[in-house]
Amino acid sequence: MTEEHIPWTAEYAEHLLPVFGTPAAELDHGQGAWVYDVDGRRYLDFLAGIAVSALGHAHPALVRAIAEQAARVIHVSNLFTSPAQIGLAEDLLRIAGDPEGGRVFFCNSGTEANEGAFKIARAHEHDGGGSRILALDHAFHGRTMGALSVTWKERLRERFEPLAADVEFIPATVAALEAAMDDEVAAVFLEPIQGEAGVLPLPEGFLEAARRLTREHDALMIVDEVQTGMGRTGTWFAFQRAGVMPDVFTLAKGLGGGVPIGATVTTGRASGILHAGDHGSTFGGNPLATSAGRAVIGAIESEHLLDNVARRSAELRELLAGLPLAADVRGQGLLLGVRLERSVAPRLVTAALAAGLIINAPDEQTIRLAPPLVIGEPEVAEFGERWTAACRSLDRQSDDTERQDA
Ligand SMILES: *Cc1c(COP(=O)(O)O)cnc(C)c1O
């Protein structure tokens, strides 16, 4: 009897809860900005696991840190601490500019980092800080009930209501924020660039206005840096470009370079809101994840990756200006949204994959690029070739359809 070959797509569909749709490929290993599938096909990874693999794949410093830490101790619980945990908290506060009263809470994901921020906002409400929570139109803060409350898209929310709060969504304009703010506002949640919504940057001056208005009304300014943080936009955190310090900011994605970790960072009076017993996490801040975080920060510093982000970003923008289908580019650093001339983004993603390029379509007319921070000039050039090849194959497909229609 010959063994029946079951394609991995069928096995996936049989065993995994169908919340993600069919995966685009079954990946096996990677090196730098390249990943290989189980059949040995090679892809240039310009998505980095959705802005996660900041150092690319199999970065030696990250591999070494994880291996060495695993050989020492992986987990100690929060009844104990470890040099890695204390070290990463120190590193994070240092790269944030040593904010007064800065404190770090470690968890395991972006949504969980925002749950921590949400609980701080709720506790601030109970302490007399007002009862309204504001978030922005198009916001995405995660999938758990608190983070989902501040997530804008109706389709993600409606089947899970009631959520943790009746959040008020406002347009991302200074005028709308000014009109919405009063002393009843407990907290304002925002992303400096809305990544999931299609890489939509906040308007000029918005972060500064949010800082001023939240201060005037004793509300917490909560900045979700889950996607924009850890150097992705060319500064450690996107709020640093505006010269403001939030009361709370949240991290995950790039922080562990692929090892699951999140962080809720508090500053000033926001550090005094939660007390012993108010919050926690079994895995949060364990030595394995925090040693990965330290290795990521260490490599970004020693390899001058913030400068690299700026250089590669400029090259990419220049290149994209001459590439087919690309109408314009928004975003910052290596978090770019390419608006296409036509609404063919999902088809372009498929064509790109066939041409050995991983990109992503947050909506019908936008391509999101979030390559590893370690890419060099050759990868940028390679991206251009593969993008062009993908566009050509799209054109051929449309020619074929036209011929069939004729
Ligand atoms: C991805 C993302 C989240 C959710 O992170 P998870 O780790 O998937 O829970 C939250 N906020 C922003 C801005 C994100 O990009």
Side-chain angles (χ1 to χ4, degrees):
M1 215 177 82
T2 59
E3 209 177 295
E4 197 186 345
H5 178 70
I6 306 170
W8 64 265
T9 44
E11 287 186 338
Y12 180 92
E14 195 175 319
H15 301 306
L16 279 296
L17 195 69
V19 293
F20 293 112
T22 306
E26 191 182 16
L27 299 178
D28 182 72
H29 65 282
Q31 186 66 58
W34 296 89
V35 277
Y36 298 78
D37 68 16
V38 288
D39 299 318
R41 264 190 300 266
R42 186 167 96 119
Y43 305 90
L44 180 63
D45 186 0
F46 259 50
L47 190 58
I50 316 189
V52 168
S53 310
L55 305 183
H57 304 283
H59 188 288
L62 182 57
V63 171
R64 199 180 323 115
I66 295 168
E68 283 179 5
Q69 187 60 58
R72 297 175 74 82
V73 65
I74 291 176
H75 181 80
V76 298
S77 91
N78 283 303
L79 301 174
F80 302 91
T81 186
S82 65
Q85 183 183 66
I86 295 171
L88 182 57
E90 274 174 10
D91 287 349
L92 283 175
L93 295 172
R94 174 173 55 78
I95 63 178
D98 284 318
E100 202 178 315
R103 295 286 186 277
V104 182
F105 170 79
F106 287 116
C107 54
N108 312 284
S109 68
T111 200
E112 203 185 337
N114 288 326
E115 288 299 318
F118 191 90
K119 283 179 71 174
I120 291 168
R122 184 49 66 71
H124 179 58
E125 280 181 50
H126 283 288
D127 294 346
S131 61
R132 300 171 60 209
I133 294 181
L134 305 184
L136 301 183
D137 288 355
H138 304 285
F140 180 85
H141 296 292
R143 304 283 196 154
T144 52
M145 298 306 263
L148 196 55
S149 305
V150 279
T151 288
W152 176 75
K153 226 185 232 173
E154 196 60 39
R155 190 180 63 75
L156 303 185
R157 305 154 44 90
E158 60 195 0
R159 296 188 66 219
F160 309 102
E161 285 164 352
L163 297 172
D166 281 325
V167 170
E168 297 167 53
F169 293 94
I170 60 167
T173 65
V174 174
L177 184 64
E178 266 169 352
M181 285 300 294
D182 63 21
D183 289 346
E184 276 305 301
V185 175
V188 179
F189 279 79
L190 50 92
E191 299 155 85
I193 298 173
Q194 296 178 319
E196 297 308 298
V199 193
L200 306 177
L202 288 177
E204 202 63 42
F206 189 94
L207 284 170
E208 294 88 331
R211 181 63 287 183
R212 177 174 52 80
L213 289 162
T214 47
R215 209 163 257 150
E216 276 172 26
H217 293 286
D218 187 37
L220 297 173
M221 177 183 185
I222 298 175
V223 177
D224 180 342
E225 292 261 2
V226 168
Q227 190 154 162
T228 49
M230 304 313 296
R232 169 108 343 240
T233 69
T235 50
W236 282 110
F237 309 109
F239 61 73
Q240 289 171 326
R241 203 175 293 279
V244 300
M245 181 59 67
D247 298 294
V248 180
F249 63 96
T250 57
L251 302 171
K253 294 209 163 87
L255 176 55
V259 175
I261 180 170
T264 309
V265 183
T266 59
T267 69
R269 70 202 169 120
S271 295
I273 294 176
L274 295 186
H275 311 295
D278 280 343
H279 196 43
S281 163
T282 293
F283 290 128
N286 89 19
L288 187 76
T290 47
S291 62
R294 296 204 79 187
V296 168
I297 292 175
I300 291 175
E301 288 183 323
S302 67
E303 295 174 27
H304 308 289
L305 294 181
L306 297 183
D307 294 340
N308 190 59
V309 167
R311 260 197 298 276
R312 302 289 90 90
S313 179
E315 285 167 13
L316 261 173
R317 282 172 178 275
E318 201 183 312
L319 176 71
L320 279 159
L323 289 184
L325 269 180
D328 65 46
V329 183
R330 44 181 197 256
Q332 190 72 249
L334 290 179
L335 180 58
L336 298 177
V338 185
R339 194 174 61 82
L340 302 181
E341 285 159 4
R342 291 178 277 132
S343 295
V344 292
R347 285 177 54 212
L348 183 60
V349 167
T350 307
L353 193 75
L357 172 66
I358 297 177
I359 52 179
N360 159 261
D363 65 50
E364 291 289 315
Q365 208 172 349
T366 307
I367 294 293
R368 171 170 47 179
L369 305 178
L373 311 187
V374 297
I375 55 165
E377 228 176 330
E379 282 86 6
V380 172
E382 191 69 49
F383 162 80
E385 313 235 323
R386 285 168 193 245
W387 174 286
T388 306
C391 291
R392 285 214 191 95
S393 95
L394 262 197
D395 285 346
R396 277 195 301 276
Q397 284 172 27
S398 338
D399 289 352
D400 290 350
T401 344
E402 273 162 36
R403 230 169 283 134
Q404 278 161 18
D405 290 349

